[in-house]
Every structure is written in C-alpha cells, then in structure tokens.
Amino acid sequence: MRFVLPLIGLALAVLLWQGGTLLLQRNMVIASAFAPVESAVSLWHLISGGEIWPHVFVSLKRVAIGLLLAVLIGVPLGVLTGLSKRFAQGTTPLFQFLRMVSPLSWMPLAVMVLGVGDAPVYFLLAFAAVWPILLNTAAGVAQLDPNWLLLARSLSATRREIVLRIVLPGITEHILTGVRLAIGIIWIVLVPAEMLGVSAGLGYFILDTRDRLAYSELMAAIVLIGALGYALDHLARTAHAKWLHR
C-alpha cells in the first residue's frame, strides 16, 4: 500500500489532465499538444536527445549558488538574532517587512543594478531563500538550553567557541529545516527568475518553447520541473531525517 496509493493518485491526476485537454480541444485546437501522451513523447525526446540537460544543469547550478548565498547570510544573522536581544529588537521589524515583499517584485531593480545574466538571478534566489533559514536559525537559538550557555561562560569560553561548539551543533536541526523550506521556495522562484534575459535554464527553455510554438515540449518541461523539484525536496527530507536519526 505504500506505493499503491501514490500511484493511484498520480493515475487520477493524469486522467483529469487528459479530460481537461479533451474539453479544451472543443474551442482550442492546440490544446491537444498539451495532452499527457504528446507531452510524454516530447519529454522522452528531450531527455534521450540531451537537449534539455544543459538547461537542467544550469538551473541546478543557480539553485546551489542561491542556496549557498542564503545560508552564508541567513545563518549568521539568525544566530545573531537569537543571541542578541538588542539586535533582534532592532532588526525584526525590518526582516519581517522584507520577508513579505515578493522576490519577483525586485526583478526590475535587480536587472537595473546588476544587469542581465546570472547575477540578478542569484540575487532573487538568495533573497527568496534567506528568510526561512534566518528565522529557523533564530528559533533554534531561542530554544537552546540556557544552562549550556551559562556553563560555557563559567568555563571562560569565548564567544566564538560558544557559537562554534555549542550554538551551531545545537541548532543544526533547525538550520536543515530552514534549508529544506528554502529549497522549495527557490525552486518556485527559479523559473520566472530565469526569464530575465539569460540564455539557458529551465525558465529560458519555457519561453523558448512558447516562442517556437512547441507546446508539447512546454508541457514536458513543466512536468520535468515538477519531477526535479520533488527530487530535491526528497533529498532534503532524507538528509533531515538522517540527521535526526543520528
């Protein structure tokens, strides 16, 4: 039953997909290109022919760099927020304000300041991903046993030693939770961010298929984006579960 129910759910989704395309074909002839069979055939050709793989690798590289930037920014700020009440009081309203701004709303400014290419994409991905990492890190610090910190100070531990040997090991679970949430957000923001004048990536490929009127390839790319996103989330969940098991 572990695999039967998910397969049944997927089969029902495909049936609904097919039924929807059949209904749309009455008023829109090109709807047949979005059907499951045509999309599956196009997906097979894209994968076996290797046309899609350069775009996949470029997108995954951008995800990795955007996530790395978010971790490098979010973890230190989260630790500082959790350890310093003054810093938290001074920055929490600002962080909450910025967190509620859609990353995609920064697209025009990102292009104006950073130009076209990878730089604005990295900025948008990092901006989208930094908040779950920062907030989960701060929450982890707040939940640390204060006796650990008191014991470390009584043993004349420096602030650096407290952070590296007590705080970071104690909040790793929260950081991993933030990273998992960040991966999901990054993957959602990635496709529209890659429509910023770049020449490769899954978002660029979506626009290219639209311009070429290759609608079955467009639908195949959407399916592939969903599959890759599911795989990334599964890897993040597996890493999180293994850490908890340890």
Side-chain angles (χ1 to χ4, degrees):
M1 293 295 291
R2 178 183 176 185
F3 299 102
V4 173
L5 290 178
L7 290 175
I8 292 175
L10 289 174
L12 290 175
V14 172
L15 289 175
L16 290 173
W17 177 5
Q18 179 64 46
T21 55
L22 290 175
L23 290 174
L24 289 174
Q25 285 180 38
R26 298 176 181 179
N27 301 317
M28 188 170 57
V29 178
I30 62 172
S32 60
F34 295 94
V37 174
E38 286 76 6
S39 301
V41 172
S42 295
L43 181 60
W44 170 254
H45 289 315
L46 289 174
I47 293 175
S48 60
E51 179 183 354
I52 194 69
W53 291 118
H55 298 285
V56 171
F57 294 143
V58 168
S59 292
L60 291 178
K61 183 194 75 171
R62 289 173 179 148
V63 167
I65 294 177
L67 184 62
L68 177 62
L69 292 173
V71 170
L72 293 177
I73 297 171
V75 172
L77 286 178
V79 171
L80 189 56
T81 301
L83 292 178
S84 174
K85 290 184 178 180
R86 289 185 178 180
F87 183 81
Q89 291 173 351
T91 58
T92 296
L94 174 63
F95 290 160
Q96 293 295 339
F97 174 83
L98 292 174
R99 185 174 70 89
M100 299 308 295
V101 178
S102 170
L104 299 180
S105 64
W106 295 98
M107 291 174 67
L109 290 175
V111 174
M112 290 172 58
V113 175
L114 302 173
V116 296
D118 286 340
V121 178
Y122 295 149
F123 166 77
L124 294 175
L125 297 182
F127 183 88
V130 72
W131 308 115
I133 296 175
L134 190 158
L135 294 176
N136 275 277
T137 300
V141 175
Q143 293 180 13
L144 283 176
D145 188 342
N147 292 323
W148 295 359
L149 303 179
L150 291 175
L151 177 61
R153 294 190 183 101
S154 68
L155 295 175
S156 301
T158 64
R159 197 170 186 84
R160 178 182 178 184
E161 289 174 335
I162 292 175
V163 170
L164 294 179
R165 298 191 178 185
I166 296 178
V167 175
L168 289 180
I171 64 172
T172 302
E173 178 186 347
H174 289 80
I175 294 175
L176 290 176
T177 300
V179 168
R180 181 191 169 191
L181 295 174
I183 290 174
I185 295 174
I186 278 183
W187 196 248
I188 293 172
V189 175
L190 174 68
V191 172
E194 288 185 329
M195 298 176 180
L196 286 175
V198 296
S199 58
L202 292 170
Y204 167 82
F205 186 79
I206 291 287
L207 288 181
D208 182 58
T209 55
R210 182 203 63 182
D211 295 338
R212 292 188 287 109
L213 305 182
Y215 296 120
S216 60
E217 291 186 10
L218 189 156
M219 197 66 204
I222 292 175
V223 172
L224 181 60
I225 289 170
L228 290 172
Y230 180 86
L232 288 174
D233 182 70
H234 179 73
L235 290 175
R237 283 188 285 115
T238 301
H240 187 266
K242 286 186 175 180
W243 176 263
L244 291 181
H245 181 71
R246 288 179 56 190

